[in-house]
Every structure is written in C-alpha cells, then in structure tokens.
Amino acid sequence: MKKTLYRTHLASLAIAAGLTAASSAALIHHWTFEGSTADSGSGNNPLVLQTNAALSNVCSPVGNGSLLLDAATAPTPDGGATSTNTLIWGTPTFASGDTRTVAFWMKATPGQETNATMFGAGTNNTGTRFDIKVAGNLFRVEIQGAGQTTTSRVDSDRWHHVAVVAPTAATTMATLQFYIDGTAVTNASVAATAVNTATAPIHIGDSVNTGLDRDFNGYLDDIRIYDTALTPTEIQNLFNAGRLARCFASDKNEIPNGNSANLRWEGSHVRSETATGTADNFALGSNKIGASTFNFALLTGGPTYYLRPNDGTFIGKLFKVIAFDGTAKSFTIENGDALAADGTAFNW
C-alpha cells in the first residue's frame, strides 16, 4: 500500500533563529525528561515523581525522553509529578508580574478523566489556580472561578504542542492566549476574573484542586515556563523545532514476515499518515533482515534495529532505531526528518 508523504522540511536556519528569539525571554523552568526530572531553567526546580508517573523513552518530538502518566493508578490527593520548591509567579522571579508563557508537548490517550490536568499551579482560590487540561477530549484552560474549553480536540493519541500566554501583568481569563501546534486558537471567554496565580509547587499531570477525575493519562514532554509573553512567531518556532518525523507506531504487537501492519508516522505537519509495513522492512544488525516475526514485546536493548524503506529516494537505506517501547508499540528512528523532507511516495 503506497502513501504519499508530503514535504514538510523546514530550514534549520529558520528554526535556529526562532529558538534564539524565544530564548531571549528568560526560561524560568524547563523540564526535558531526558533520563531525569531535573530543571534546566534558571529556577532549578526538579520534579518529584508520584507512583503513577515514570520517565519513558517512547518516541517524542524533542530529545529521546518524555514523562509517562497513568491516571488509573494515580494516588490521592496528588498524582503525576510535583516540583520540589514553590514557584513565585510575581516579581522578582518574573520580570513583569504574572506575565508568562507555559508551553509543552502532550500526547493524550483517548478517554481522559473529566478534568484531566496536564499542568497545574497555584492554590484553589478564585483567580489563584492556573490549570491547563483536557476537558473530555477538548483543550481547556482554567483558573479558579473561570475557564474556557476550546473546540480543539487533543485526545487523538498524537503529539501536539500547546502553549498558553498571559500577555500582561493584568491578564484576565478573557485575555489569555491559546496555541495548539503553533497556531493561535480562539479564547471565547468573556470572564474578567484576574489571573493571580498563588505561590505553590507546580503539579504536572494533576491539579492543585484535589477533586476527583483530574489525573492526566498519556505523555508530556519539554515543559517550558517563560517569564514573558512569547510572540506568535516564537511559539510557531517551538512547534517547528519538534521532530515528529522520527516517530512511528504500529497497530499490532507483532508483524509476521510476509504480513502487514499499519505504521503511523507523525510527520511535522502530516499528523495521521499511515503506511503498510512488513517484517522485511525491519533489519537487525548492519544489513541483515530480522527474524521471521518482528515482535515489539521481544525487542531488547542489545541488538541494533533498523527501518528500511522500499521506495523513494531512500531505497535501500537503513534508518537506525534509536529507541523503542514494546508496550506502546512505538519506535524512534535516527534522522527521521530526512524521510519527511524527501516528499516522495514510499511502499513500506
């Protein structure tokens, strides 16, 4: 089965310029989940994982690590991950009071809890709580006393980049700015409730509101908090820098030799591309065909695995598998952006 993969290559110079511009704002907190919960921002506020949270090597757009959250096993009252120290949202930590940008990558499993919270801050009083969540299956931002659910569905089991901007120190619920995958999303709220987030630890994958049904199920990555309002161009460049073309997932636990399975490729702008794959397209070692069955559950960290396209510019080339997750049936390939940039048809 042949699918056309459209050209999505972005000039590396343009991406680098965009990241430089974003970095001109102070990056107060930055959790990358690259093998640890350390904070590489100026705030130096590491996270503590609760029992339902774990570091994962499932394919993610930035780096090779992410945070896995399991809502079903979340402890009460706090699940997910919490910051070691409290965060003061106003001055002197933030240059302009409550002005901020919170941005991250998220991959939500369908069937979320009613108030599944990805990012929570503050305390549970009017205006002092600040949550970014999935309401059923839609993107929602909520402060205590007000909130807005968008029309954007984000529980598609795909990676999405989300950002929320408080543009001024006098931001209200109605003036918050929302972005999904680098594009502005309408905030239809008319609520004048002021954003006045209280000093408290950060909650990742849960809310400071201890009510039921607030645990997030899925993956989060590259969580950033800036002390200023990033511009639309800077947010677009954060999205563009994500390398989704490295990410593949299978709809089957194993691919018997001579049979096919759907391999979902998460390209930079082509979100749902599907191609048919067979065991013959996977290699083991330098250039040897793998065993008669490619079984995700049996993959180990010892051998080196490769993906081999049959068609297009890269016919015969081996793309090294640099990470895999047998449970999620997903894997990450090295230099995957070359596939997205090729723009030709592939027969997997």
Side-chain angles (χ1 to χ4, degrees):
M1 182 178 184
K2 188 170 288 188
K3 289 280 187 177
T4 300
L5 307 186
Y6 297 97
R7 182 176 299 274
T8 59
H9 180 64
L10 294 164
S12 59
L13 181 61
I15 291 175
L19 291 179
T20 300
S23 64
S24 65
L27 185 56
I28 303 298
H29 295 291
H30 186 199
W31 295 286
T32 64
F33 307 111
E34 294 298 303
S36 79
T37 59
D39 176 9
S40 61
S42 62
N44 188 25
N45 197 351
L47 299 174
V48 176
L49 298 183
Q50 306 304 318
T51 54
N52 70 313
L55 297 175
S56 171
N57 64 354
V58 73
C59 185
S60 62
V62 180
N64 296 316
S66 60
L67 179 66
L68 170 62
L69 297 150
D70 180 7
T73 61
T76 301
D78 295 324
T82 54
S83 64
T84 303
N85 306 309
T86 59
L87 176 58
I88 301 173
W89 289 94
T91 55
T93 303
F94 282 61
S96 302
D98 266 353
T99 304
R100 77 195 69 159
T101 300
V102 179
F104 54 89
W105 288 91
M106 48 91 51
K107 184 178 183 181
T109 304
Q112 293 287 320
E113 293 186 353
T114 304
N115 295 290
T117 304
M118 298 177 285
F119 178 93
T123 58
N124 201 34
N125 296 298
T126 300
T128 65
R129 175 168 60 85
F130 180 81
D131 284 353
I132 303 174
K133 56 175 55 180
V134 181
N137 57 21
L138 303 175
F139 183 71
R140 176 177 172 83
V141 178
E142 185 176 289
I143 60 176
Q144 185 67 22
Q148 181 61 42
T149 301
T150 70
T151 59
S152 301
R153 183 168 183 172
V154 290
D155 74 332
S156 56
D157 203 24
R158 303 282 197 277
W159 282 105
H160 294 284
H161 186 264
V162 299
V164 178
V165 177
T168 70
T171 297
T172 65
M173 182 66 233
T175 57
L176 286 170
Q177 300 167 358
F178 308 160
Y179 295 82
I180 298 177
D181 294 336
T183 301
V185 173
T186 300
N187 173 10
S189 174
V190 296
T193 307
V195 177
N196 186 26
T197 311
T199 298
I202 298 296
H203 291 248
I204 305 299
D206 199 1
S207 173
V208 297
N209 186 327
T210 56
L212 298 176
D213 300 327
R214 294 182 184 271
D215 295 290
F216 176 75
N217 201 58
Y219 298 88
L220 299 174
D221 194 19
D222 196 47
I223 300 175
R224 298 166 175 255
I225 304 176
Y226 292 91
D227 72 344
T228 57
L230 295 190
T231 67
T233 298
E234 289 171 330
I235 291 172
Q236 176 71 56
N237 287 332
L238 286 177
F239 167 66
N240 289 345
R243 297 173 295 158
L244 287 166
R246 306 182 312 151
C247 302
F248 286 80
S250 173
D251 67 338
K252 295 179 180 178
N253 289 316
E254 61 183 22
I255 309 173
N257 194 10
N259 293 281
S260 66
N262 288 325
L263 296 179
R264 189 178 67 229
W265 172 68
E266 299 196 79
S268 274
H269 295 288
V270 185
R271 293 287 170 178
S272 303
E273 198 67 37
T274 300
T276 299
T278 71
D280 289 334
N281 296 121
F282 294 93
L284 176 63
S286 58
N287 57 10
K288 299 177 181 178
I289 297 298
S292 59
T293 297
F294 186 85
N295 190 327
F296 281 91
L298 299 180
L299 298 184
T300 66
T304 301
Y305 299 93
Y306 296 87
L307 177 69
R308 186 206 312 271
N310 283 343
D311 207 308
T313 300
F314 298 103
I315 185 169
K317 181 173 180 178
L318 300 176
F319 287 84
K320 184 178 179 180
V321 177
I322 58 176
F324 53 81
D325 186 310
T327 301
K329 296 177 290 185
S330 67
F331 56 93
T332 310
I333 62 171
E334 192 173 54
N335 300 321
D337 292 315
L339 286 173
D342 178 52
T344 63
F346 287 83
N347 182 25
W348 301 93

